[in-house]
């Protein structure tokens, strides 16, 4: 069990950052072993530490993640580890960063390349998802359990689930926050905001153009991602 977090906010205020910090703290109930974030600030930056969110936030100021356009594009992960503390999330490449709650493959790491024709650099099976985000991941990994958020250079985030893991979206006056459960946002906001579960097997695209979101079907990938 882990937690995923996402925030796309226009001109975030101190109260927005306070809420986001509380979201991280509440999310850490689902994972105290490691915390990580990726954010867009001219390029995608990532910081990961093998510590709970409370300790992570003591040494990292989320205010420093504001992009040059004044907006915040951020994803985060709180990990519960059943083995070791290697290969924590977010996972990233030159194009995007992802956070994922679930299981993509239970096959041995040594067999991934021969089974899926994907060469990985970690032993975290979520990396298989990272390498296939442009290839209908919900269909490709239909037997997996997925709740994921992608952060792209194009000031865009994509969130989705396949019904085997939860993920929720909360609308604020200046953007959106994504959480793993409804209760996380309820506790973080003291009941001020109500999170809505994302529709199953559809991807939600959040963009900075008009700070709106839209669903796109799993069999249609019309996004210009480079």
């Amino acid at each position: 069990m882990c937690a995923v977090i996402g925030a796309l906010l226009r001109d975030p205020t101190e109260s927005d950052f306070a809420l986001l910090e509380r979201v991280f703290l509440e999310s850490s109930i689902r994972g105290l072993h490691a915390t990580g974030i990726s954010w867009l600030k001219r390029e995608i930056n990532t910081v990961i530490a093998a510590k709970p969110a409370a300790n992570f936030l003591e040494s990292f100021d989320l205010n420093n993640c504001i992009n040059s356009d004044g907006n915040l594009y951020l994803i985060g992960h709180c990990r519960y580890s059943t083995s070791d503390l290697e290969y924590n999330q977010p996972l990233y490449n030159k194009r995007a960063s992802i956070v994922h709650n679930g299981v993509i493959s239970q096959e041995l790491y040594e067999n991934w390349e021969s089974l899926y024709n994907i060469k990985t650099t970690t032993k975290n099976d979520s990396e298989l998802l990272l390498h296939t985000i442009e290839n209908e991941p919900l269909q490709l990994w239909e037997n997996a359990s997925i709740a994921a958020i992608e952060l792209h250079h194009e000031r865009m985030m994509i969130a989705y689930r396949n019904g085997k893991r939860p993920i929720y979206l909360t609308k604020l006056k200046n953007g959106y926050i994504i959480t793993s459960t409804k209760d996380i946002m309820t506790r973080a906001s003291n009941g001020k905001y109500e999170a809505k579960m994302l529709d199953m097997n559809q991807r939600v695209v959040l963009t900075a153009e008009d700070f709106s979101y839209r669903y796109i079907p799993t069999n249609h990938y019309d996004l210009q991602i480079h």
Side-chain angles (χ1 to χ4, degrees):
M1 181 175 68
C2 299
V4 296
I5 300 138
L8 191 150
L9 299 170
R10 179 192 289 118
D11 299 323
T13 64
E14 286 301 316
S15 62
D16 291 329
F17 280 110
L19 173 61
L20 186 56
E21 285 196 9
R22 291 195 297 272
V23 166
F24 269 90
L25 294 176
E26 294 295 342
S27 297
S28 68
I29 296 173
R30 296 176 61 87
L32 289 167
H33 296 120
T35 308
I37 64 169
S38 286
W39 69 98
L40 182 64
K41 191 173 184 178
R42 293 182 295 274
E43 60 184 8
I44 294 178
N45 304 271
T46 300
V47 172
I48 302 168
K51 60 179 69 172
N55 298 121
F56 181 93
L57 293 171
E58 286 177 355
S59 58
F60 189 90
D61 186 356
L62 296 177
N63 286 269
N64 294 329
C65 298
I66 297 177
N67 191 37
S68 56
D69 61 2
N71 302 326
L72 180 69
Y73 313 90
L74 179 148
I75 59 175
H77 190 268
C78 296
R79 181 185 180 192
Y80 177 83
S81 175
T82 57
S83 54
D84 53 49
L85 288 177
E86 291 186 293
Y87 316 121
N88 296 312
Q89 299 188 45
L91 298 168
Y92 55 92
N93 55 29
K94 293 180 180 180
R95 305 187 311 276
S97 180
I98 67 164
V99 288
H100 167 237
N101 175 33
V103 177
I104 298 299
S105 174
Q106 293 184 325
E107 297 289 344
L108 293 174
Y109 158 76
E110 293 81 3
N111 298 331
W112 291 350
E113 187 171 2
S114 61
L115 287 170
Y116 310 121
N117 195 29
I118 298 172
K119 188 174 181 62
T120 61
T121 59
T122 74
K123 296 180 181 179
N124 186 332
D125 64 307
S126 295
E127 188 183 348
L128 297 169
L129 182 63
L130 172 66
H131 290 301
T132 55
I133 57 176
E134 297 179 27
N135 298 313
E136 304 290 355
L138 286 170
Q139 290 187 342
L140 183 63
W141 305 109
E142 62 180 353
N143 295 320
S145 55
I146 300 174
I149 313 170
E150 306 169 6
L151 173 64
H152 293 267
H153 281 282
E154 294 82 2
R155 300 187 303 160
M156 175 178 66
M157 294 169 57
I158 305 173
Y160 45 91
R161 69 182 184 95
N162 67 354
K164 298 177 183 178
R165 290 292 189 277
I167 194 167
Y168 284 76
L169 180 70
T170 300
K171 187 181 188 320
L172 280 63
K173 64 180 180 180
N174 59 332
Y176 303 90
I177 291 179
I178 300 169
T179 56
S180 279
T181 70
K182 182 177 182 178
D183 287 347
I184 288 172
M185 177 52 72
T186 299
R187 293 193 297 266
S189 68
N190 292 316
K192 180 178 179 179
Y193 297 108
E194 182 177 359
K196 303 293 186 182
M197 181 178 282
L198 298 187
D199 289 352
M200 186 173 63
N201 290 326
Q202 295 193 63
R203 287 165 295 162
V204 175
V205 182
L206 301 97
T207 66
E209 294 178 2
D210 54 5
F211 276 79
S212 64
Y213 73 92
R214 71 185 191 279
Y215 281 101
I216 56 174
T218 58
N219 61 356
H220 187 60
Y221 206 97
D222 61 350
L223 304 174
Q224 298 300 312
I225 299 174
H226 306 284

